[in-house]
Amino acid sequence: MARPDKVAAVDEIAEKFRNSNAAVVTAYTGLTVAQIKDLRRSLGENAQYRVVKNTLTKIAAQEAGISVLDEHLSGSTAVAFVTGDPVEAAKGLRDFAKENQNLVIKGGVLDGKALSADEIKKLADLESREVLLSKLAGAFKAKQSQAASVFQALPSKLVRTVDALRAKQAEQGGAE
């Protein structure tokens, strides 16, 4: 029979998986408590970094409908549960791992799809959601400006054409 504290831990981890749009599994052997605290800060407000037990995490992941993490759940394991922008959390993990060789990104899951460690690093190379949205908005604004100039050019071109025809008719009328 399962102990109540373990059942509660599984339920809590399963709930974190369900509420997260991404989760990144890491190995943290050799990191000090202070370094883990720094890592948690570097992930931002939309991610939680939690040291987990592999067996309980496997059960919780299966309860949440995630089966792609099993291969990564061995050794010392911690999971970053991301509820916000996964790019921000991936950048935080990548940058921290560059400075601290003891943090190893094993893999993860994004919207139910498995990610390798290399794919997580590629995700970290993307620009944040806000930057991409602002670039998209800038592109839309530029296209609207171009369309506005085209629409403004049509009436003025028409006026110049009519003026040119009048001048030509006046020239021809004066020549006769």
Side-chain angles (χ1 to χ4, degrees):
M1 178 142 202
R3 290 186 7 211
D5 57 336
K6 288 188 178 186
V7 171
V10 167
D11 290 342
E12 183 182 346
I13 295 169
E15 191 63 28
K16 287 191 182 301
F17 275 122
R18 285 187 204 101
N19 293 334
S20 301
N21 54 5
V24 180
V25 179
T26 65
Y28 66 92
T29 304
L31 290 177
T32 65
V33 173
Q35 288 173 322
I36 291 176
K37 191 175 181 181
D38 290 341
L39 172 59
R40 286 183 172 129
R41 266 190 253 121
S42 71
L43 291 177
E45 294 179 9
N46 297 323
Q48 285 186 332
Y49 189 73
R50 179 163 176 193
V51 175
V52 294
K53 291 189 177 212
N54 293 325
T55 307
L56 299 179
T57 305
K58 283 180 188 179
I59 296 168
Q62 288 173 351
E63 281 185 14
I66 300 170
S67 60
V68 296
L69 292 178
D70 288 352
E71 66 189 70
H72 303 300
L73 296 173
S74 61
S76 63
T77 304
V79 180
F81 296 99
V82 183
T83 56
D85 185 10
V87 173
E88 180 184 351
K91 283 182 185 188
L93 286 168
R94 180 202 58 196
D95 295 344
F96 191 86
K98 281 181 184 176
E99 296 172 14
N100 299 284
Q101 301 300 319
N102 291 331
L103 180 72
V104 177
I105 298 171
K106 295 180 178 181
V109 62
L110 175 64
D111 293 328
K113 295 180 183 160
L115 293 176
S116 68
D118 289 335
E119 289 172 326
I120 292 169
K121 290 174 185 169
K122 287 179 185 175
L123 181 66
D125 292 336
L126 292 175
E127 293 174 332
S128 70
R129 182 176 188 274
E130 290 77 21
V131 171
L132 292 175
L133 287 174
S134 66
K135 283 186 176 185
L136 182 64
F140 281 141
K141 185 177 178 184
K143 290 298 177 190
Q144 287 176 341
S145 297
Q146 289 173 348
S149 352
V150 167
F151 292 137
Q152 287 176 347
L154 290 175
S156 62
K157 185 175 182 181
L158 177 66
V159 168
R160 287 193 302 271
T161 304
V162 169
D163 284 344
L165 281 173
R166 281 188 191 150
K168 187 172 184 181
Q169 285 177 346
E171 226 176 76
Q172 286 176 353
E176 289 179 25

